[in-house]
Amino acid sequence: MLHELFAGLPVPVAYLAGQDLVFEFANDAYRSLVGRRDLTGRTAREALPELAAQGRTELIAAVLESGQPFRGYETELLVRRDGGSARERVFVECLYQPVRGADGTVEGVLLLVGDVTARVRDQRQQEALAGQLAATQERYQTLFETLPQGVIYYDTNGLILGANPAACEILGLDENEMITWPLVPAGQPVLEDGSPLEPADFPVSVALRTGEVVTDVVVGVPHGRTGETRWLRITAVPDARDEDGRPHRAYAMFRDLTK
């Protein structure tokens, strides 16, 4: 009855009996996992020498001797599948459960194994991608902080998300003074002809509104500490577009023409 029950399970199950750990039963899922069909009547060491070499037989023997179950999580194994000679790396979660007879002695070990290879590989791939992303972000952050040109990063509502040291130096403002455009502490910006630059015409505002790069706009901005007009050549680049192509952020990159 138990054999019939285990045979229909989609997870790998096998039963090893006696001190020699002889396979009395293995369902199709277990046979597929280890890549062997001829298990019944053979010892674990004889039937699966590659797993014995990885210490699995000793683990099962320890369960038989101690009567204590063993649990393994995301255990890496090398198995031969489809009768081939090449070994394939798999990851399993397993329970080796001692089975007792009527007199209470341990007569064998029931093996329940879950193949979690796909999950582990996906998790490790995500971890690797996260590591690559973190490294990339660190490189970009270093570039952002060391650029000689000023760079300010804007949200779609005009909120300033970040400014590099060059931007702070050129504008004469601390980063915590740059919250939104217009930069109130800096005073009214002007165009080359001296006319005021309205907030809606600021290059970043135009880039966010149109979704187009705005290049080489010359703007005069009072220096935050001296009040002297600093003439900046600004390029605004839309960023972080949604599925409809609308930008939700933009960069303003500028250099000081006054010097």
Side-chain angles (χ1 to χ4, degrees), residues 17-259:
Q19 295 298 318
D20 293 332
L21 299 176
V22 176
F23 277 99
E24 285 197 356
F25 170 79
N27 68 356
D28 288 341
Y30 186 89
R31 296 172 191 268
S32 176
L33 174 67
V34 299
R36 296 289 177 83
R37 310 303 299 179
D38 54 338
L39 297 177
T40 304
R42 305 176 70 188
T43 67
R45 189 174 297 278
E46 175 190 8
L48 301 172
E50 67 275 15
L51 293 184
Q54 296 169 64
R56 307 313 292 181
T57 303
E58 284 76 7
L59 279 175
I60 299 170
V63 172
L64 186 74
E65 181 178 350
S66 68
Q68 298 299 316
F70 169 82
R71 294 180 182 272
Y73 301 94
E74 297 185 1
T75 302
E76 181 178 334
L77 297 176
L78 295 173
V79 299
R80 291 189 174 92
R81 290 185 169 180
D82 302 323
S85 59
R87 296 196 297 178
E88 178 181 344
R89 179 177 284 104
V90 299
F91 296 89
V92 299
E93 291 183 348
C94 58
L95 170 63
Y96 298 164
Q97 180 68 43
V99 177
R100 299 180 184 275
D103 60 357
T105 60
V106 179
E107 296 182 342
V109 180
L110 183 67
L111 313 181
L112 295 97
V113 186
D115 186 348
V116 294
T117 304
R119 187 187 76 194
V120 172
R121 287 178 177 170
D122 181 64
Q123 178 180 332
R124 293 189 177 185
Q125 183 180 31
Q126 291 181 17
E127 290 171 352
L129 289 174
Q132 293 172 8
L133 178 61
T136 300
Q137 289 176 330
E138 183 177 356
R139 288 195 296 270
Y140 276 118
Q141 184 65 26
T142 300
L143 178 63
F144 178 74
E145 292 177 353
T146 57
L147 275 174
Q149 293 85 12
V151 182
I152 301 178
Y153 195 31
Y154 290 84
D155 200 353
T156 185
N157 56 9
L159 182 68
I160 293 177
L161 302 175
N164 71 345
C168 297
E169 178 64 26
I170 291 170
L171 296 173
L173 297 170
D174 293 331
E175 187 176 0
N176 58 14
E177 295 180 281
M178 291 187 283
I179 301 173
T180 61
W181 176 263
L183 299 171
V184 175
Q188 175 68 51
V190 294
L191 296 171
E192 287 184 277
D193 62 2
S195 61
L197 176 63
E198 299 300 327
D201 297 326
F202 182 61
V204 164
S205 301
V206 177
L208 287 168
R209 185 169 64 249
T210 65
E212 302 293 334
V213 176
V214 179
T215 61
D216 297 332
V217 178
V218 177
V219 177
V221 178
H223 191 270
R225 289 191 292 270
T226 67
E228 172 194 4
T229 298
R230 291 290 181 90
W231 291 99
L232 312 178
R233 186 180 299 278
I234 302 173
T235 293
V237 181
D239 186 36
R241 297 178 186 269
D242 60 21
E243 59 185 13
D244 296 322
R246 294 187 297 265
H248 285 262
R249 297 189 181 97
Y251 289 96
M253 297 176 287
F254 52 91
R255 59 188 182 90
D256 190 351
L257 302 178
T258 307
K259 294 181 180 181

